[in-house]
Amino acid sequence: MALSAGSSIGEYEVVKHLGAGGMGDVVEAVHPIIGKKVAIKVMRSTANASLLEARRLLEEARAVNAIRHPGIVDIFGAGVLPDGRPYLVMELLEGQSLHEFQQRLRPVPMGDVFFVLEGVLNPLIAAHRAGVIHRDLKPSNIFVTDGPGGRRVKLLDFGVARRVDREPLTAPEMTLGSLGFMSPEQMSGQPVPQSDLYSLGCIAWLLVTGQPVFPYRNVGELARHHLLTKPPLLGVLRGEVSAEFENWVMSLLEKEPGARPASAELALEGLKEAQSALRAEPTVKPGTLRPLRSEVKTILANPVVPAAETRERRRAPVPSGSSDRKTLPALLGRPPSAATVPDDDDDDDKTIELSPRKKR
């Protein structure tokens, strides 16, 4: 049965094809009487369909409804086509996938980076509380909606989600997910809630830098990177990234699950702390903050004393004993000599201006 425009799926009429997911095709459809628009995910073909895949499609609906969070796409109907293919009826989203969002803005402004990451963590907290591990967090499974209430982030595709209170539908050693965003433990078929946080760290890296966390030539090389390679520091690739945010991302990308934040709640707290620290810093041009910090630390650790003042200090007697009380205030109150005031006229081209951060 072809899913062409005008064909029927249950009580809905197909409008157009939207795309393909891991287990099936997604179409836009409309209720011919009340005009309600929906998205419908249909398993691809009876030849490739199996009982296991049909059960996964049903588990996706059950997982989403067990979580019941506005940041997760709503699934409110299910059925079976005459040819035996099961389908799910979902809310129709207006906007773009995070993949398209990132490609359009690359690199993504830091304000949008925080917006997306917080938008993912909130429903992820609800999912983990409901005992659901997504297992396939990636930009194509995250959607940035445009609506009357403004932009929102939605999680999609719980088709390979793992429910900890149910018997898994796959063998323990079976690997499911997308390799570019997959945690080391998930590669051995042992996902935990912190596996989703590792995937989120890979997403954060992509949003900030515009490139994957690990460059690779083949899937074997990519898998070895996830298992063994420590990512470089974010500040090397994008200078205005704060040290707090860099540390937060690196904590998500730890190889051992126990070294990552213990929960999505704690990850969200860390993200908000990093955002607050960034807001407190002055506004700078991209690529200047990290070098400037280093320069300031060096200056504070090794203050430069003009040569004339150094000679004056060497000639001045050092107060000692009870006379300290009389001579020290006088020394502190003495105005500096003209030789101690540097002339900045020759250094205009080296001056870095810092302006207060505008309120968001």
Side-chain angles (χ1 to χ4, degrees):
M1 176 182 175
L3 299 176
S4 56
S7 60
S8 296
I9 301 178
E11 56 184 349
Y12 295 94
E13 185 177 290
V14 174
V15 175
K16 61 182 178 180
H17 185 268
L18 293 177
M23 292 182 292
D25 295 298
V26 181
V27 299
E28 179 183 335
V30 62
H31 195 287
I33 298 176
I34 64 175
K36 181 178 178 62
K37 293 182 178 181
V38 298
I40 302 180
K41 180 190 288 188
V42 185
M43 191 172 288
R44 283 200 182 91
S45 68
T46 52
N48 295 326
S50 67
L51 180 60
L52 177 61
E53 289 172 326
R55 286 179 62 193
R56 277 195 203 144
L57 202 66
L58 183 59
E59 279 299 307
E60 177 177 2
R62 288 174 174 167
V64 166
N65 282 280
I67 301 168
R68 300 186 65 83
H69 190 278
I72 295 175
V73 63
D74 190 20
I75 299 176
F76 48 81
V80 180
L81 293 177
D83 61 6
R85 286 181 293 167
Y87 63 84
L88 299 178
V89 183
M90 307 176 291
E91 66 174 311
L92 179 65
L93 302 177
E94 299 290 340
Q96 58 191 325
S97 72
L98 184 59
H99 173 74
E100 296 167 326
F101 183 84
Q102 182 268 329
Q103 289 290 318
R104 181 172 59 86
L105 295 177
R106 184 167 46 181
V108 178
M110 289 304 299
D112 288 329
V113 170
F114 284 110
F115 160 74
V116 169
L117 296 177
E118 184 173 348
V120 173
L121 278 168
N122 280 313
L124 201 60
I125 289 171
H128 290 176
R129 285 177 179 171
V132 178
I133 305 170
H134 190 284
R135 291 205 292 184
D136 198 19
L137 281 183
K138 57 184 178 181
S140 59
N141 282 342
I142 299 169
F143 204 86
V144 182
T145 67
D146 297 318
R151 294 187 309 174
R152 293 200 65 172
V153 175
K154 291 267 190 177
L155 293 192
L156 315 177
D157 204 343
F158 281 73
V160 297
R162 168 83 177 271
R163 295 187 62 179
V164 297
D165 61 340
R166 292 176 178 269
E167 190 70 24
L169 297 179
T170 55
E173 68 278 3
M174 188 172 183
T175 299
L176 291 174
S178 300
L179 189 57
F181 304 88
M182 189 180 294
S183 66
E185 67 275 7
Q186 194 171 337
M187 292 183 189
S188 60
Q190 301 295 327
V192 293
Q194 288 88 345
S195 302
D196 286 341
L197 297 183
Y198 184 94
S199 300
L200 186 62
C202 295
I203 293 170
W205 184 282
L206 178 65
L207 294 177
V208 171
T209 67
Q211 60 190 50
V213 61
F214 297 119
Y216 64 96
R217 292 166 293 185
N218 52 63
V219 293
E221 184 177 20
L222 178 57
R224 286 193 295 273
H225 280 316
H226 280 300
L227 291 169
L228 303 172
T229 306
K230 184 175 181 178
L233 296 177
L234 271 177
V236 175
L237 300 175
R238 187 167 173 182
E240 78 268 34
V241 172
S242 68
E244 291 79 7
F245 181 73
E246 179 180 81
N247 292 338
W248 181 81
V249 175
M250 297 302 287
S251 73
L252 300 187
L253 293 174
E254 290 285 352
K255 302 303 182 186
E256 293 296 329
R260 300 172 206 147
S263 65
E265 292 97 328
L266 290 177
L268 180 58
E269 289 178 14
L271 177 66
K272 289 183 176 180
E273 290 173 2
Q275 187 175 18
S276 298
L278 184 62
R279 283 174 176 168
E281 293 178 349
T283 303
V284 296
K285 294 181 179 179
T288 62
L289 183 57
R290 189 62 60 79
L292 178 61
R293 278 187 179 146
S294 176
E295 183 178 342
V296 170
K297 289 180 180 178
T298 302
I299 292 173
L300 292 177
N302 305 287
V304 177
V305 180
E309 184 175 342
T310 303
R311 291 192 295 270
E312 182 68 20
R313 288 182 181 178
R314 287 174 180 170
R315 289 196 295 267
V318 179
S320 60
S322 60
S323 63
D324 287 355
R325 296 186 182 90
K326 297 179 180 179
T327 59
L328 189 56
L331 289 172
L332 291 175
R334 185 180 63 190
S337 63
T340 65
V341 181
D343 183 4
D344 292 334
D345 292 342
D346 296 333
D347 295 325
D348 289 344
D349 59 332
K350 300 179 182 178
T351 302
I352 301 176
E353 291 187 3
L354 301 181
S355 60
R357 176 170 290 278
K358 295 180 181 179
K359 294 183 179 179
R360 296 182 180 177

